[in-house]
Amino acid sequence: MSYYKRHLFICTNQREDGVCCHEHGAREMRDQVKAYAKQLGLTGQGKIRINTAGCLDRCDEGPVAVVYPDQIWYRYSSLDDLQKIVNDHMIGGEIVKDLQI
């Protein structure tokens, strides 16, 4: 068994040309969803982990995140979207179809 059930990698990269996840508030939303998961006791060994990712090379679809080991990619636009990914996919195992890339 792996140390974590699932990882959520959230791109927070900032590019000089302006087309990047950072320009959509990705860092702030990452911080907020990370605090949300921690507050609910969802983090730690055998549970989930929310990580910062550098560029995931899907800038035009951003902001983006990916869940591993499932290899499911998401586009989100709000903290509510990220919380839905955490609740439905990371914990419940259900892909959030309306956010999936």
Side-chain angles (χ1 to χ4, degrees):
M1 180 172 162
S2 67
Y3 193 81
Y4 296 109
K5 180 179 177 181
R6 290 188 174 91
H7 277 84
L8 177 63
F9 292 96
I10 300 173
C11 178
T12 61
N13 192 55
Q14 183 172 12
R15 290 181 177 247
E16 291 183 18
D17 64 11
V19 179
C20 61
C21 294
H22 175 78
E23 296 300 318
H24 298 281
R27 286 186 182 157
E28 294 81 10
M29 285 192 273
R30 184 269 335 264
D31 291 345
Q32 292 170 342
V33 77
K34 194 169 184 171
Y36 168 78
K38 194 174 280 191
Q39 177 184 354
L40 294 178
L42 302 174
T43 61
Q45 184 176 359
K47 299 178 184 178
I48 69 168
R49 172 94 179 163
I50 298 172
N51 286 89
T52 298
C55 185
L56 296 172
D57 287 326
R58 295 189 85 166
C59 304
D60 292 338
E61 299 173 89
V64 298
V66 61
V67 174
Y68 278 95
D70 305 335
Q71 302 179 38
I72 302 297
W73 290 80
Y74 291 108
R75 182 184 195 290
Y76 63 92
S77 60
S78 67
L79 176 60
D80 288 340
D81 288 346
L82 286 173
Q83 288 174 339
K84 184 170 182 67
I85 293 166
V86 166
N87 293 327
D88 294 0
H89 188 160
M90 303 280 293
I91 300 304
E94 297 293 324
I95 296 171
V96 184
K97 296 285 187 188
D98 59 320
L99 299 176
Q100 186 179 11
I101 298 173

